[in-house]
Amino acid sequence: MASHCGHVKLGPQLVQVACRHVPSAALIKHRQSTLCDRFRLPQRQQSWSAGGCMHQSSLSNKRRKLTVHAEGSQEHASSREAEVLQALSQIIDPDFGMDIVQCGFVKDLSINNQSGHVKFRLELTTPACPIKDEFERKAHSVVAALEWVEGVEVTMDAVPPRPIRSEQDRPQGLRSVAHVIAVSSCKGGVGKSTTAVNLAYTLAQMGAKVGILDADIYGPSLPTMVKPDPPVLQMDPETRAIRPPEFEGVKVVSFGFAGQGSAIMRGPMVSGVVTQLLTTTDWGELDYLVVDFPPGTGDIQLTLCQSVAFSAAVIVTTPQKLAFIDVAKGIRMFARLAVPCVAVVENMSYFEVDGVRHLPFGAGSGDRIVRDFGLPNLVRFPIIADLSAAGDGGRPLVVSDPLGAVAQQFMVLGAAVVQEVAKLKLKPRNSVRYDAGRQALVVDLEGHNFLLHPALVRRNDTSAASIDEWTGEKLSKSDNVPDDIQPDTVAPLGNYAVQILWQDGFNQVAPFDLLNSLERMHEDSWQQPMLQAQPEIASTTAAQQILSMAGRQ
């Protein structure tokens, strides 16, 4: 079956490789293997010389033979190039449903027809691809299987980090930073800083250029967990930019490295200090900048999200009910600020004694967050002494024991972050919009369109205002939601949920799985447009929405 780029897929022979990358805009097209009409030889004409020899005719024939030979070589080379590309097109990216040729990963393909040696480069969009070795192995294998191939040379590469914003809109220090990742818990004591530091070093071990910012001014943790030399922030006398120290290849910045310990200052001053550390540091070229958020949902968190375009957030919690309540508030804060949450870390989830798993803090918090907010990845970490000891000793556990069980779990978390951030760079597969004429929410899930009644979506809200945070019992009555309720704004929240701000000020995060489970409107049930003009969906900023919500409360 031919794909839209012109090459042939091999049906049941497709090789499934679970890599997550953003395809390039241009697709590589296979060359045509037919000869042009101008290559066809005219009928032989004889031209005799005075000596009776066919010098002119012989010379002409020789030239034609050379031309045919050259054209045949070109045809042969083009055919072999098509064979290589067809072989590589067996390697499929399951997330995007395209092969690595369509994705534009194959670069600098060269073939030596005499020796049968094939050489090419696979240019991935991030050096932290969790299965780049698998990509290399599969690419080498499928090309080497061709009959005429005697040798294969595959070079793995990655494109340089792409800026997160246009140059004029980004602070100077962040102009070469591709992605900024928030690690937040909104609850102290759940292991957020431990998660942030080990995640940063895991991404570095995966091949990415990484930096980490400790945004907790009142109680910075980074100076305890890493020991750069020298452990101080320095300023460039000419540019006035902060030079970040490095530890084990990761750039680290914290107020604790300013030589003033923890801060004693008011909120506005703290927000200014955090902003200065983030935006005036010369981070250089980074693939990922991990920001360790302080607990809470106050001025510092809002200032950070409004100052920088965060690519994604990782939420850290523990199994207790109390932690879940605070984390749910944090997720809603990120939703209002249009920062998609891509993973949940459940810390101190369990410990094992003689092969028996114990749950000292209960269970269910992480699962509830994943279910209610449509988050795709849940990673659980056990209670082990080595993890906290490594943090206290100034050397993260993934650095001191990179082959241990905990390091492997952090590798799972790192792969999830890389995967989801890459997917977010594509146009969202799923979308929801409000059609005022039909008075319905138009949902597009994986190419399937259907309509939902706005009141039905609102009545099936799973937030704390509608459902008990722990028991799951319904609190609000459906009668309290009017049938003619309409949304003010509808915006995607990552790949797995949509954020709806209703006319009465209620903010709802609706997972696509929830929308897919609701009863759908039929064509004959579409309401005709009302005579009076329908209110247009407002184009408000996240900050305006928050202030509006605060005023209504």
Side-chain angles (χ1 to χ4, degrees), residues 249-446:
V250 173
K251 296 179 179 179
V252 294
V253 172
S254 171
F255 186 73
F257 294 143
Q260 302 182 37
S262 57
I264 303 175
M265 60 182 74
R266 295 184 181 274
M269 294 179 62
V270 173
S271 298
V273 171
V274 172
T275 302
Q276 182 181 7
L277 290 175
L278 176 62
T279 61
T280 65
T281 296
D282 184 10
W283 293 103
E285 190 177 273
L286 293 182
D287 296 295
Y288 303 97
L289 173 59
V290 178
V291 179
D292 180 10
F293 269 50
T297 55
D299 290 341
I300 299 176
Q301 291 79 6
L302 296 177
T303 300
L304 284 171
C305 291
Q306 292 169 355
S307 301
V308 177
F310 279 80
S311 300
V314 175
I315 303 300
V316 184
T317 185
T318 54
Q320 304 107 301
K321 174 181 178 180
L322 189 60
F324 169 79
I325 294 174
D326 287 337
V327 167
K329 295 177 183 177
I331 294 176
R332 294 189 178 279
M333 176 197 71
F334 283 118
R336 295 176 187 177
L337 295 169
V339 178
C341 298
V342 298
V344 178
V345 171
E346 189 177 81
N347 253 338
M348 297 176 276
S349 182
Y350 61 91
F351 68 90
E352 293 184 351
V353 177
D354 297 331
V356 179
R357 179 168 294 190
H358 302 270
L359 309 175
F361 301 115
S365 175
D367 291 316
R368 179 76 188 278
I369 291 173
V370 169
R371 182 177 68 252
D372 287 2
F373 296 100
L375 301 186
N377 301 287
L378 173 61
V379 183
R380 292 184 170 93
F381 287 92
I383 301 174
I384 62 170
D386 291 345
L387 185 58
S388 59
D392 293 341
R395 192 173 179 83
L397 187 58
V398 298
V399 176
S400 60
D401 186 16
L403 300 180
V406 173
Q408 296 306 308
Q409 280 296 90
F410 272 107
M411 191 65 69
V412 173
L413 176 61
V417 171
V418 171
Q419 164 194 339
E420 297 299 329
V421 169
K423 289 166 65 177
L424 286 168
K425 294 174 69 175
L426 285 181
K427 182 179 179 181
R429 293 183 177 182
N430 303 326
S431 64
V432 180
R433 62 181 177 86
Y434 179 65
D435 189 320
R438 298 172 178 174
Q439 297 184 5
L441 290 167
V442 182
V443 184
D444 183 0
L445 295 184
E446 302 292 340

Side-chain angles (χ1 to χ4, degrees), residues 192-205:
K192 170 184 54 59
S193 295
T194 300
T195 300
V197 171
N198 283 276
L199 172 61
Y201 280 92
T202 298
L203 293 173
Q205 290 173 349

